[in-house]
Amino acid sequence: MENYDVGIVGAGIGGLALGCALASNGRSVCLLEAKPGVTQSKRGLTLQPNGLETFQKLGLLDRVVRIGAKINLVTWYELGEGPLATLDYSILDHPHNYLLTVVPSQLELVLRDAFSDMGGTIFESTFFREIRRTGFGRVELKAVRAGALVELSTRIIVGADGENSRVRQALKMPVRLKEYPDHFFFMLAGPVVSLQREARQYLARGRMVGFYPTPGSTYIFYYLPSRKVDEFRAQGFQSFKKELASIEPEVSDSLVGLESWDDITHSSNRRVDAETWVADQAALLGDAVHALDPSWAQGANLALQDAVALARTIETCFDLNDFSANALKRYEEDRRRQAEFVQNGAERTAQLTATESRFYHWLGKRILVRTGTNRELMRVALQASCGLTDHFTLREKMRFLI
């Protein structure tokens, strides 16, 4: 049995960030990852000011910026009707007032390299199975790798293993799940010169399409209601490509490398609300406790913020030699309010921009136009969607509508 200070289940972006934060403080950290390695992504990931600030705190921002495409402008259009608003992230009073779109697998490689440089250990193709508290201030983790039992001993276990978290299930932490009607298709097409300086999003009733630049490619996402997916796919992949080209003609040539449905990835979404984020000698972060609608593109960014906050709390636990749920609760208290605010905000935005309702579609367009023509409203909206605040005042809510 190998001994570590901290065991983390899940070597995604949140788990790796936590590993880096702890390893940089001299802690011995192991990560358990079910995948055999880093798989080349078929989608992009947008890092926002709150996520970029986290990388700054980890001392990794320069490395991350080198693999991303930086933009300040996102222009929203109504399909077939023209522009609605251009959101300018440079108006934010923040040191990282821009968006950075990266390919997730490349970001994972940057984090893995940093974690390895700090002395961290990753066990790949390793499937977490159970937890046992020894009664001597340590936790034993059992996992399986290549059919063999793996046993590790740690002071604390962290579940960074997504919305279906096996760690959360092993700890028997109650959770509320809410299924969304959303279905998103994600893909990486070839680069488009005109999209290197801005992103574009198009909406219609029941559809939303986004085009974001990454270095060497264009990140495209396409939304439609889940109930229409089978009918949509039955029309054929070439029909789908023709529709994308009709929406944004400038991407036509960049779609050549997309040959079948195998070249894209897709997901249906649901909300996760964990009753508690911590237990004795255990904690959860990211989608394991607060999965959310992707409309604000905040999932990875929130997980990054969780990682830094949890690392800070874990260091305090080491100082006090106390890993009880009560001692770990400070992490949850630091993060829960903002996570829930972002969950609720993303949900409301999806209702307005990815809706089949005539009324909500009209209201969503009205709010976008008002936001695009009012600099102060734009700043308020962007502060919220970028994870830089945890509330709207009543006055701010009313100003979006009146």
Side-chain angles (χ1 to χ4, degrees):
M1 182 176 292
E2 298 187 41
N3 295 318
Y4 295 90
D5 291 329
V6 182
I8 303 170
V9 178
I13 291 167
L16 284 164
L18 176 61
C20 288
L22 292 166
S24 68
N25 291 328
R27 301 298 172 190
S28 60
V29 184
C30 69
L31 278 156
L32 307 185
E33 173 54 52
K35 294 186 297 183
V38 177
T39 303
Q40 177 63 38
S41 298
K42 298 178 182 178
R43 60 168 296 173
L45 168 67
T46 301
L47 296 172
Q48 302 200 50
N50 58 330
L52 296 166
E53 183 177 4
T54 299
F55 282 121
Q56 180 73 63
K57 292 176 180 177
L58 293 172
L60 299 174
L61 184 60
D62 288 345
R63 295 196 218 181
V64 173
V65 168
R66 284 197 290 269
I67 65 166
K70 185 187 295 188
I71 59 167
N72 296 115
L73 304 177
V74 178
T75 300
W76 284 76
Y77 299 83
E78 182 177 13
L79 272 172
E81 299 294 334
L84 295 168
T86 295
L87 305 183
D88 184 354
Y89 287 75
S90 68
I91 70 172
L92 290 170
D93 183 19
H94 190 274
H96 312 297
N97 54 354
Y98 56 90
L99 302 180
L100 188 79
T101 305
V102 301
V103 176
S105 53
Q106 294 177 6
L107 180 58
E108 287 185 32
L109 289 173
V110 168
L111 287 167
R112 279 174 170 244
D113 286 345
F115 182 59
S116 178
D117 291 344
M118 297 172 189
T121 301
I122 300 179
F123 292 102
E124 296 179 339
S125 301
T126 303
F127 299 84
F128 167 79
R129 287 293 180 259
E130 61 180 282
I131 304 167
R132 187 174 75 87
R133 296 181 178 87
T134 66
F136 298 100
R138 300 193 69 83
V139 180
E140 291 181 359
L141 284 65
K142 293 187 177 182
V144 174
R145 183 173 64 241
L149 180 65
V150 177
E151 295 183 297
L152 307 170
S153 175
T154 70
R155 295 298 305 277
I156 179 174
I157 179 174
V158 177
D161 50 343
E163 65 178 54
N164 297 314
S165 171
R166 293 184 66 89
V167 174
R168 188 185 68 219
Q169 295 170 29
L171 293 168
K172 295 181 170 57
M173 288 182 168
V175 64
R176 297 185 305 279
L177 303 175
K178 177 180 180 179
E179 300 288 339
Y180 287 125
D182 303 351
H183 197 98
F184 279 86
F185 292 92
F186 305 104
M187 66 215 79
L188 291 173
V192 178
V193 174
S194 61
L195 285 173
Q196 294 305 302
R197 295 184 177 275
E198 70 166 3
R200 298 173 189 169
Q201 289 194 207
Y202 295 81
L203 60 84
R205 284 175 53 209
R207 277 191 301 165
M208 181 171 63
V209 189
F211 302 87
Y212 283 70
T214 77
S217 64
T218 303
Y219 169 40
I220 303 174
F221 61 81
Y222 184 105
Y223 160 85
L224 79 166
S226 294
R227 63 182 180 78
K228 292 187 175 182
V229 170
D230 290 342
E231 174 187 343
F232 180 78
R233 289 175 66 101
Q235 295 173 11
F237 190 71
Q238 294 305 313
S239 175
F240 175 47
K241 288 173 62 174
K242 287 179 182 178
E243 182 177 351
L244 291 176
S246 69
I247 293 170
E248 179 49 81
E250 294 184 47
V251 305
S252 299
D253 293 340
S254 72
L255 300 174
V256 172
L258 299 173
E259 298 179 349
S260 73
W261 295 112
D262 292 336
D263 293 324
I264 69 174
T265 186
H266 58 93
S267 70
S268 294
N269 304 289
R270 61 181 180 172
R271 175 169 174 162
V272 172
D273 290 284
E275 188 173 298
T276 180
W277 295 16
V278 299
D280 290 338
Q281 299 175 275
L284 304 171
L285 66 77
D287 284 351
V289 283
H290 53 61
L292 68 158
D293 188 281
S295 295
W296 277 11
Q298 271 291 320
N301 294 280
L302 289 182
L304 288 165
Q305 288 185 287
D306 290 349
V308 169
L310 180 54
R312 187 168 56 243
T313 297
I314 288 175
E315 286 302 320
T316 300
C317 291
F318 274 109
D319 291 342
L320 300 174
N321 193 29
D322 180 2
F323 290 86
S324 66
N326 188 56
L328 289 163
K329 198 72 175 177
R330 177 176 295 183
Y331 151 66
E332 180 179 344
E333 292 169 350
D334 284 349
R335 295 291 306 135
R336 181 183 276 274
R337 178 174 175 176
Q338 190 203 17
E340 291 182 348
F341 171 73
V342 173
Q343 284 179 303
N344 293 334
E347 202 169 276
R348 284 192 294 268
T349 296
Q351 187 179 33
L352 296 172
T353 59
T355 179
E356 294 181 274
S357 161
R358 290 183 182 275
F359 172 73
Y360 283 122
H361 179 64
W362 169 83
L363 183 59
K365 291 190 297 179
R366 175 185 169 87
I367 292 173
L368 271 171
V369 171
R370 286 182 59 81
T371 302
T373 55
N374 185 308
R375 190 176 179 87
E376 184 54 36
L377 273 186
M378 187 185 300
R379 183 179 290 108
V380 169
L382 293 180
Q383 284 177 335
S385 65
C386 289
L388 302 180
T389 185
D390 60 11
H391 69 283
F392 283 125
T393 66
L394 179 59
R395 180 173 177 271
E396 288 168 345
K397 292 178 183 178
M398 295 301 295
R399 287 181 67 195
F400 282 110
L401 298 171
I402 298 176

